[in-house]
Amino acid sequence: MKDKQFLENIVHGMFLILGLITVGFVLLITVYLVLSGIPAIREIGLFDFLLGDEWQSTAAEPSFGILPFILTSIYGTAGAILLGVPVGFLTAVYLAKEAPSGIRNVVSSAVSLLAGIPSVVYGLVGMLVLVPGIRRLFHIPDGASLLAAIIVLAIMILPSIINVSITALEAVPREYEDASLALGATPVETYFRVSVPAARSGIAAAVVLGVGRAIGEAMAVMMVSGNAPNMPSLFQSVRFLTTAVASEMSYASGLQERALFSIALVLFFFIMLINATLNFFLKRSKEE
Amino acid sequence: MEQIGMRRKIYIFVMKALMMVSAALTCALVGFLMIYVLWKGLPNVTVRLLFTKPSYLSGQIGILPDILNTLYIMIAALVIVIPLGAGAAVYLTEYAGNKKLVAVIEYAAETLSGIPSIIYGLVGMLFFCQFLNMQTSLLAGALTLVIMNLPTVMRTTQESLKTVPQSYREGAFGLGAGKWRTIRTVVLPGCIDGVITGCILSAGRILGESAALLFTAGFAHALNGFFTGLRSSGATLTVALYVYAKEQGEFGVAFAIAAILMILTLLINLLATSVAKYFKRRRSL
């Protein structure tokens, strides 16, 4: 009997450790990013680092200002949201409410395929279709630009937006819609004036999730945005926070390498902020 | 028959049209990507490409090492992440009594799934490659992917555990089984579907991952066995695609890899849907 209790305790302890492992990983990531990101910021100065508008990491007198990357990430994400959200949102309403089940099945499997396509494949197609297309259409010397990155990101965030919005729309109580229909509203009016407002927290969560995806994407963006550390401009080659880390990491050393860790820390800070917002909306959507 | 005003009619028509155009656009994008990649890539998928390694002497490019590396990294990551994720899920549904602790663990899992892969790559490089001295190796890459996929496996297992009826557990307890025996004989068999779903989803993510592997698993194209492979640096299919396209300008090879990735993604998606359908039907019996 005593042995049995002993075994139970051991098993309980083992599962407790497994349960805590996610917390451990989050702590590990946070600690590593903070520890490796702080030194360069202290060396360069927080103000010069965050608000400096020049990044010349390999020059004789290097300057490490990441304002261009921060702004590019923000503009790029905003652009992707501006393009992706309307399309994703309308598709979600269509799939959740209007589409006949046959069409619904086809479109949802298309959406899950879109979610599964590796980001390098988006990058490759972007490099060979989008970039030359933009060059020809706008008569600029190189099509690798913020615009190309925005379009690729807009496509990549579609599945997140569509899936989360559908879940939110489907959770709207049937009675709301029935009441609206009974009062004489047509189905389409009911979807947009009753179902959508009732699902607004969930749809907000979908948008925030899209923001998180867009700001964190590295490889596809790296392949289409040109990677020059310019201030963001739609038709110019730009560098994002993610690509700033990825593009120099393989050969960086010393202060340059430490500065890249600091960029990752800044990115991590943005992501944590977005996660907290996402959680807020998800919680509210559950309460509603 | 009640009359609908002109303005309402226009509103309804416009909204309906916008919805349909959006859905059609989404489908068209998927169709275009699929057809374009297959059309550009499939002609380049040759037996020679699939079954050789790159040779500097003949200038031939082969992607067999990259295929094997992808497979090795997938196996290694899944073998580690399944017990960890399933165990964490068992703890949350079967053991955890403290609500606060559960909330903390679930928040941690959500945080993990929101962290971008480039950050995983960086921390993986610092922790596994440098601190634990694994160098850039497939094992370091696999361990990085373990952290990334942990929330997925945990969530799918948790969902399937919730479908095991409470009465089963009570029945086992009533027959005198201890907690561990109940979990082993009643609860764990019930979460097989969650584990399998988690496996498939993780396999899909591992197949498509590249940013987290660049600095942890590296770029080498050497042909290795499983255990030597784990200890040495190696490019997976996605990393190889990136290197061939961005750094070497070998677009033919890049498209061939992209076509292979597309087909595998499609297969994994089909598998995921049919497995979900199968489990759903079995449960309703």
Side-chain angles (χ1 to χ4, degrees):
Chain A
M1 197 60 214
K2 211 175 173 188
D3 280 359
K4 205 172 163 190
Q5 192 53 47
F6 183 64
L7 178 74
E8 288 292 342
N9 286 340
I10 287 187
V11 172
H12 189 146
M14 253 173 47
F15 277 116
L16 174 65
I17 292 171
L18 288 176
L20 288 175
I21 216 163
T22 46
V23 184
F25 282 147
V26 172
L27 287 179
L28 179 91
I29 291 171
T30 315
V31 167
Y32 257 92
L33 281 176
V34 170
L35 283 186
S36 54
I38 293 287
I41 294 182
R42 287 176 77 165
E43 219 167 308
I44 299 160
L46 184 65
F47 189 78
D48 288 342
F49 182 68
L50 289 180
L51 300 178
D53 55 8
E54 204 174 0
W55 174 270
Q56 285 185 325
S57 54
T58 46
E61 265 186 46
S63 56
F64 298 97
I66 63 163
L67 191 64
F69 308 155
I70 296 179
L71 288 181
T72 302
S73 275
I74 293 175
Y75 290 0
T77 305
I81 291 293
L82 226 56
L83 287 183
V85 165
V87 176
F89 164 71
L90 288 164
T91 307
V93 178
Y94 180 70
L95 289 185
K97 302 292 174 193
E98 171 91 357
S101 70
I103 292 183
R104 194 195 148 121
N105 283 341
V106 173
V107 182
S108 6
S109 46
V111 171
S112 58
L113 187 63
L114 204 59
I117 296 175
S119 50
V120 282
V121 174
Y122 283 106
L124 180 67
V125 176
M127 246 172 118
L128 291 175
V129 177
L130 208 53
V131 170
I134 289 177
R135 192 188 62 215
R136 249 174 276 142
L137 195 62
F138 297 101
H139 305 291
I140 46 177
D142 186 5
S145 57
L146 181 60
L147 180 64
I150 286 177
I151 296 173
V152 169
L153 286 176
I155 298 172
M156 291 183 76
I157 62 174
L158 272 183
S160 317
I161 292 173
I162 295 175
N163 287 334
V164 178
S165 303
I166 288 183
T167 315
L169 285 166
E170 278 178 344
V172 173
R174 194 62 231 228
E175 291 82 5
Y176 290 14
E177 284 157 14
D178 288 346
S180 162
L181 292 171
L183 287 171
T186 60
V188 174
E189 286 171 319
T190 305
Y191 307 149
F192 285 97
R193 302 219 162 123
V194 176
S195 315
V196 169
R200 62 180 180 278
S201 289
I203 293 171
V207 175
V208 179
L209 188 68
V211 171
R213 285 283 135 81
I215 212 166
E217 177 51 44
M219 301 306 279
V221 166
M222 190 137 107
M223 293 168 90
V224 300
S225 69
N227 281 326
N230 293 324
M231 274 295 186
S233 148
L234 211 50
F235 296 112
Q236 255 190 339
S237 165
V238 289
R239 201 184 279 189
F240 289 70
L241 283 170
T242 47
T243 51
V245 178
S247 58
E248 290 184 17
M249 204 54 186
S250 51
Y251 59 85
S253 62
L255 180 60
Q256 186 193 359
E257 188 179 28
R258 291 197 295 279
L260 296 183
F261 294 144
S262 308
I263 297 178
L265 181 61
V266 173
L267 177 64
F268 187 64
F269 177 75
F270 274 111
I271 292 290
M272 286 317 231
L273 218 64
I274 292 166
N275 269 356
T277 322
L278 179 67
N279 238 26
F280 167 76
F281 281 122
L282 282 180
K283 218 177 198 172
R284 222 177 58 181
S285 138
K286 234 177 230 165
E287 275 158 18
E288 276 166 7
Chain B
M1 202 59 203
E2 110 187 76
Q3 282 298 309
I4 296 180
M6 200 59 200
R7 279 181 64 172
R8 282 177 72 193
K9 262 189 189 152
I10 292 172
Y11 174 83
I12 292 164
F13 177 78
V14 168
M15 280 325 221
K16 220 172 189 166
L18 281 177
M19 282 198 291
M20 283 176 161
V21 167
S22 300
L25 185 65
T26 309
C27 282
L29 277 170
V30 181
F32 165 74
L33 278 168
M34 200 77 203
I35 291 167
Y36 182 75
V37 167
L38 291 182
W39 175 65
K40 284 276 235 180
L42 280 183
N44 293 315
V45 181
T46 55
V47 176
R48 188 160 204 179
L49 182 81
L50 288 179
F51 296 105
T52 56
K53 60 176 183 175
S55 149
Y56 290 106
L57 288 177
S58 61
Q60 281 284 334
I61 293 177
I63 58 166
L64 182 62
D66 310 321
I67 297 176
L68 289 179
N69 285 336
T70 310
L71 209 63
Y72 295 162
I73 229 170
M74 204 181 266
I75 294 170
L78 287 180
V79 163
I80 303 171
V81 77
I82 294 300
L84 291 185
V90 168
Y91 179 76
L92 283 181
T93 38
E94 306 299 319
Y95 281 101
N98 188 337
K99 275 225 169 83
K100 265 209 180 112
L101 185 64
V102 174
V104 168
I105 292 175
E106 280 181 346
Y107 191 77
E110 265 163 46
T111 308
L112 278 187
S113 53
I115 293 176
S117 47
I118 182 80
I119 287 190
Y120 280 108
L122 205 64
V123 174
M125 182 187 90
L126 287 171
F127 184 68
F128 295 120
C129 303
Q130 292 176 7
F131 183 71
L132 295 184
N133 209 13
M134 290 181 188
Q135 314 300 343
T136 29
S137 61
L138 287 185
L139 184 62
L143 289 172
T144 310
L145 291 177
V146 164
I147 308 183
M148 272 183 83
N149 286 296
L150 191 65
T152 314
V153 177
M154 204 171 122
R155 202 193 53 241
T156 54
T157 314
Q158 236 182 319
E159 266 159 29
S160 72
L161 281 176
K162 276 179 196 155
T163 62
V164 176
Q166 197 56 33
S167 58
Y168 286 17
R169 296 183 182 91
E170 283 157 8
F173 288 140
L175 289 170
K179 184 115 191 167
W180 169 229
R181 201 188 167 96
T182 307
I183 289 174
R184 211 166 22 131
T185 53
V186 176
V187 176
L188 284 184
C191 73
I192 285 292
D193 52 344
V195 171
I196 291 177
T197 313
C199 248
I200 296 171
L201 292 181
S202 302
R205 265 187 89 181
I206 294 170
L207 183 74
E209 188 48 56
S210 43
L213 294 174
L214 271 181
F215 312 117
T216 52
F219 309 93
H221 298 293
L223 201 54
N224 286 319
F226 183 64
F227 290 103
T228 346
L230 282 186
R231 270 179 280 123
S232 40
S233 149
T236 60
L237 282 170
T238 45
V239 174
L241 191 166
Y242 173 75
V243 173
Y244 283 131
K246 190 87 204 304
E247 262 137 50
Q248 303 184 1
E250 294 277 1
F251 292 115
V253 180
F255 267 112
I257 299 177
I260 295 170
L261 286 171
M262 276 297 211
I263 293 171
L264 289 177
T265 309
L266 193 65
L267 286 180
I268 287 178
N269 267 2
L270 286 177
L271 192 65
T273 4
S274 49
V275 162
K277 247 184 217 152
Y278 170 76
F279 283 128
K280 205 172 173 188
R281 207 175 48 215
R282 205 182 59 168
R283 190 164 295 137
S284 63
L285 281 180

